[in-house]
Amino acid sequence: YWCVYRVGVTMLWDRRDLTRLVRIGVVGSSVVSVIGLLQSMNALAVNEWLTPNYASAHHILKLMTIGRIVGTFESPNYTGLFLAIMIIAGFLVLAKALFERREGAPDTRRLRLTGLWLLLVMTAFMLAASRTSLLAMMLVLPVLMVLFVRKRPRGPSRRHARVAVAQATLALIVLAGAGQLIGSNLPKIEGARSLDLVARLDIGLDQAFGDLPDTSSSMYERLLRWSVALDRWEERPILGWGTAKGTESVADRPPTDNEYLRYMERYGLLGLFAYLLFFYALMREAFVRARSAPLESGLFTPLDLAWLNLGIGGTMLFFNLMAGAYYNLQIFPIVLFLHGFMV
């Protein structure tokens, strides 16, 4: 992690590199999305020769039975988190393009390409069906909308920003609906039932507000794991138990699926404080950079990168309630490189 961050910090970047970084994100997320769509249909027999090489048996089973794609990640939740980050970046690009259009500098080509790319990413996001990533994104986007508007000077420019944010939000909703429609009408793996994001949200609401708890639900299983972690933390609240990978009581346990409890159990309150301090430092730096960065036109500026890093931090803070991103080697190096690049 430190080496990746240092590469971001110490290299001599210029604005062209920032544009290249955006293009890499577009291409990378498109590859993840396309592979996810192929998995959903098992086109080209991709699930026989590609997917098992990097995804766990549990999530392969989910893919084969309910159609939750894993993309190029280990699980659908991390696929959803990565795509949520890309959607946040796409929202910033879309809002800025719409704003510049109202300011008299229309770029219809950028709008069309961004819309097509977001449709592809949104379709894969719906098939990954990560409820946690969706809720995290829904909490973060309104904050970025407010920052986007308040950064503009009072007067016509701020009014234009409000309209651009409203249009970009409406576009995201329409694209989500279109992605849901496309995903639900794709051919499915033989024997798999379609359980996309909307269906899983409906199930989650039934489980949360139903008369009886569903003891087979993922939320019920998480609550049981959390209670075990809390019981162990109460025995050693300050320093925790350490990694304890060799102990019989921990070796065969399923993951805690809550990164805060994971670090409380392992490293106590001191470890949890250090963990939260780390995220605070990342988000504070992004917030300070966003306040000081000037307004500029263009595809993606240092201000947009600061906002994106702020959004990533907020998304992960919520995501880590139900899973964990810091220890995931497929996600967190991307985060620290983007942060180092911003610095």
Side-chain angles (χ1 to χ4, degrees):
Y1 285 175
W2 175 249
C3 290
V4 171
Y5 172 75
R6 292 300 300 172
V7 168
V9 169
T10 56
M11 295 290 286
L12 297 176
W13 309 109
D14 57 29
R15 296 301 171 85
R16 291 175 299 175
D17 294 315
L18 185 54
T19 302
R20 293 188 186 105
L21 189 64
V22 172
R23 290 171 179 165
I24 289 170
V26 169
V27 172
S29 57
S30 298
V31 170
V32 172
S33 300
V34 168
I35 289 179
L37 297 183
L38 293 176
Q39 289 166 355
S40 177
M41 302 179 288
N42 197 25
L44 307 178
V46 68
N47 296 322
E48 279 85 56
W49 60 272
L50 175 62
T51 306
N53 292 332
Y54 50 80
S56 67
H58 171 75
H59 291 119
I60 291 296
L61 179 63
K62 294 292 184 182
L63 170 65
M64 295 300 180
T65 54
I66 61 175
R68 290 190 68 191
I69 65 171
V70 295
T72 59
F73 290 84
E74 187 271 336
S75 83
N77 287 322
Y78 291 114
T79 303
L81 176 59
F82 171 73
L83 295 177
I85 291 171
M86 294 296 105
I87 291 169
I88 291 170
F91 173 82
L92 292 171
V93 172
L94 196 61
K96 176 183 273 192
L98 290 166
F99 171 77
E100 291 176 354
R101 185 180 185 183
R102 297 194 68 84
E103 292 278 288
D107 189 347
T108 54
R109 182 172 177 269
R110 192 201 310 176
L111 279 171
R112 289 171 185 166
L113 291 176
T114 303
L116 287 172
W117 167 67
L118 278 174
L119 177 60
L120 172 63
V121 171
M122 195 69 80
T123 303
F125 182 75
M126 302 304 280
L127 291 173
S130 173
R131 294 172 291 194
T132 305
S133 298
L134 175 66
L135 293 174
M137 186 172 64
M138 288 174 65
L139 289 173
V140 164
L141 280 175
V143 176
L144 294 180
M145 293 174 192
V146 171
L147 293 175
F148 184 92
V149 172
R150 290 181 65 85
K151 188 72 175 179
R152 268 69 191 178
R154 294 180 183 273
S157 185
R158 185 168 288 190
R159 289 196 297 272
H160 292 166
R162 289 194 190 100
V163 173
V165 163
Q167 290 175 331
T169 303
L170 180 60
L172 274 191
I173 294 171
V174 171
L175 289 169
Q180 163 74 16
L181 188 63
I182 293 170
S184 62
N185 284 284
L186 288 175
K188 301 299 177 187
I189 300 170
E190 185 177 356
R193 59 192 178 99
S194 178
L195 199 60
D196 54 31
L197 184 52
V198 172
R200 293 196 77 235
L201 282 173
D202 186 47
I203 291 172
L205 288 172
D206 287 342
Q207 291 170 353
F209 300 106
D211 295 331
L212 294 172
D214 183 355
T215 56
S216 66
S217 69
S218 59
M219 190 65 225
Y220 186 84
E221 293 174 358
R222 278 185 169 88
L223 290 173
L224 294 177
R225 297 172 192 173
W226 295 355
S227 66
V228 172
L230 282 171
D231 289 342
R232 284 178 57 82
W233 168 73
E234 287 178 353
E235 296 179 38
R236 295 186 180 181
I238 306 301
L239 295 177
W241 291 82
T243 53
K245 290 181 179 178
T247 62
E248 185 178 346
S249 61
V250 176
D252 296 327
R253 268 177 50 200
T256 305
D257 277 341
N258 181 310
E259 202 154 77
Y260 305 108
L261 292 179
R262 174 190 177 95
Y263 285 103
M264 282 175 62
E265 178 189 355
R266 285 191 172 189
Y267 310 115
L269 290 177
L270 288 176
L272 178 64
F273 174 76
Y275 175 79
L276 292 175
L277 186 64
F278 176 79
F279 271 93
Y280 168 77
L282 289 180
M283 295 185 68
R284 182 182 181 278
E285 181 74 25
F287 183 74
V288 169
R289 299 273 172 174
R291 288 189 65 181
S292 60
L295 286 168
E296 300 175 82
S297 60
L299 175 65
F300 211 75
T301 65
L303 173 62
D304 300 316
L305 182 59
W307 278 338
L308 177 60
N309 276 307
L310 190 62
I312 290 172
T315 302
M316 287 189 165
L317 282 176
F318 184 88
F319 181 86
N320 291 342
L321 287 170
M322 297 291 181
Y326 177 68
Y327 64 87
N328 188 275
L329 292 173
Q330 296 174 312
I331 289 287
F332 220 81
I334 300 172
V335 176
L336 284 181
F337 177 77
L338 286 174
H339 191 81
F341 193 103
M342 176 192 72
V343 171

